Amino acid sequence: DAGVTQSPTHLIKTRGQHVTLRCSPISGHKSVSWYQQVLGQGPQFIFQYYEKEERGRGNFPDRFSARQFPNYSSELNVNALLLGDSALYLCASSIGPYSPLHFGNGTRLTVT
Amino acid sequence: KNEVEQSPQNLTAQEGEFITINCSYSVGISALHWLQQHPGGGIVSLFMLSSGKKKHGRLIATINIQEKHSSLHITASHPRDSAVYICAVRSETSGSRLTFGEGTQLTVNP
């Protein structure tokens, strides 16, 4: 069975641009959550979706948005990129919102 | 003060040593996770626990809810255990949201 897959693996963008990151959960997992990990720090929670509804949102500006599709895959969108958005973006899936997490390998975003 | 504090921040050990990584938290929790992150970023979930103790191979995780403290132990450490170990908690009041510690960088030398 395939694990959590994220795309792209690496991305370079310019300040002010928009980016879309994608996540495909493990088959049968209905919950997807997104995390931002700045170099040298622990991950920070951004969003959680379960059954296509937002179940939680971290302390991130409105430039960050996400959605979950009927097949339970998810997109994270970031508008008006700032240098400080440079980070590893991790997606995790789980059967339910309180179940053990399975992480993808992340998307490394560099904003120049 | 962070809600989740880990110690030590960095740990260097010789192969075969017994290793302990500590995690303290300041909120009531419904679950605590121990995660392993290798260079390049991939994270593996090691344990999710809400009470007592769990064991998987050479890894043991314990939690004391009253003292708001958890430990991750590695017995007979090996260079392949070198990674960042991260503690994360799900608080009683934040639904399914996780709050992470800063991580402990473990290096095991042969």
Side-chain angles (χ1 to χ4, degrees):
Chain A
D1 226 358
V4 178
T5 57
Q6 291 188 243
S7 63
T9 55
H10 294 82
L11 199 53
I12 300 175
K13 289 285 192 178
T14 304
R15 275 176 297 177
Q17 286 189 315
H18 161 91
V19 68
T20 297
L21 310 182
R22 295 178 174 84
C23 173
S24 292
I26 291 173
S27 178
H29 286 195
K30 298 182 178 180
S31 179
V32 170
S33 48
W34 288 95
Y35 304 88
Q36 180 197 63
Q37 187 177 27
V38 174
L39 194 63
Q41 298 182 16
Q44 297 283 324
F45 172 79
I46 311 175
F47 286 109
Q48 184 184 46
Y49 278 79
Y50 175 64
E51 288 283 19
K52 301 177 284 292
E53 291 191 2
E54 183 182 302
R55 290 291 296 263
R57 184 187 180 110
N59 296 324
F60 281 81
D62 292 344
R63 300 185 295 107
F64 287 76
S65 63
R67 55 181 175 168
Q68 187 177 34
F69 298 99
N71 66 354
Y72 302 110
S73 67
S74 178
E75 282 183 356
L76 175 70
N77 295 284
V78 187
N79 292 324
L81 285 166
L82 304 174
L83 294 180
D85 296 331
S86 295
L88 180 68
Y89 289 85
L90 294 158
C91 170
S93 77
S94 56
I95 294 173
Y98 302 100
S99 305
L101 298 173
H102 299 259
F103 284 83
N105 288 327
T107 294
R108 188 162 299 281
L109 172 65
T110 302
V111 182
T112 62
Chain B
K1 190 178 190 300
N2 293 335
E3 284 185 0
V4 182
E5 297 275 353
Q6 287 186 234
S7 63
Q9 283 188 306
N10 294 282
L11 181 57
T12 300
Q14 289 300 120
E15 184 172 356
E17 285 185 359
F18 181 84
I19 287 162
T20 296
I21 298 170
N22 296 299
C23 175
S24 296
Y25 50 91
S26 57
V27 296
I29 67 167
S30 55
L32 182 143
H33 296 251
W34 280 104
L35 310 168
Q36 180 192 56
Q37 186 170 33
H38 281 280
I43 290 181
V44 174
S45 181
L46 300 175
F47 296 103
M48 184 177 81
L49 64 166
S50 55
S51 65
K53 176 180 174 178
K54 287 191 176 181
K55 184 175 188 294
H56 181 69
R58 296 180 294 106
L59 301 178
I60 303 166
T62 63
I63 188 168
N64 185 317
I65 296 294
Q66 287 73 29
E67 294 186 3
K68 292 185 167 61
H69 181 269
S70 175
S71 294
L72 176 68
H73 305 285
I74 304 176
T75 62
S77 60
H78 190 275
R80 65 175 175 265
D81 297 327
S82 298
V84 175
Y85 292 83
I86 303 172
C87 169
V89 303
R90 188 171 71 228
S91 81
E92 292 172 328
T93 57
S94 66
S96 52
R97 169 182 181 161
L98 290 183
T99 301
F100 295 76
E102 298 280 307
T104 294
Q105 173 68 61
L106 171 66
T107 303
V108 181
N109 294 318

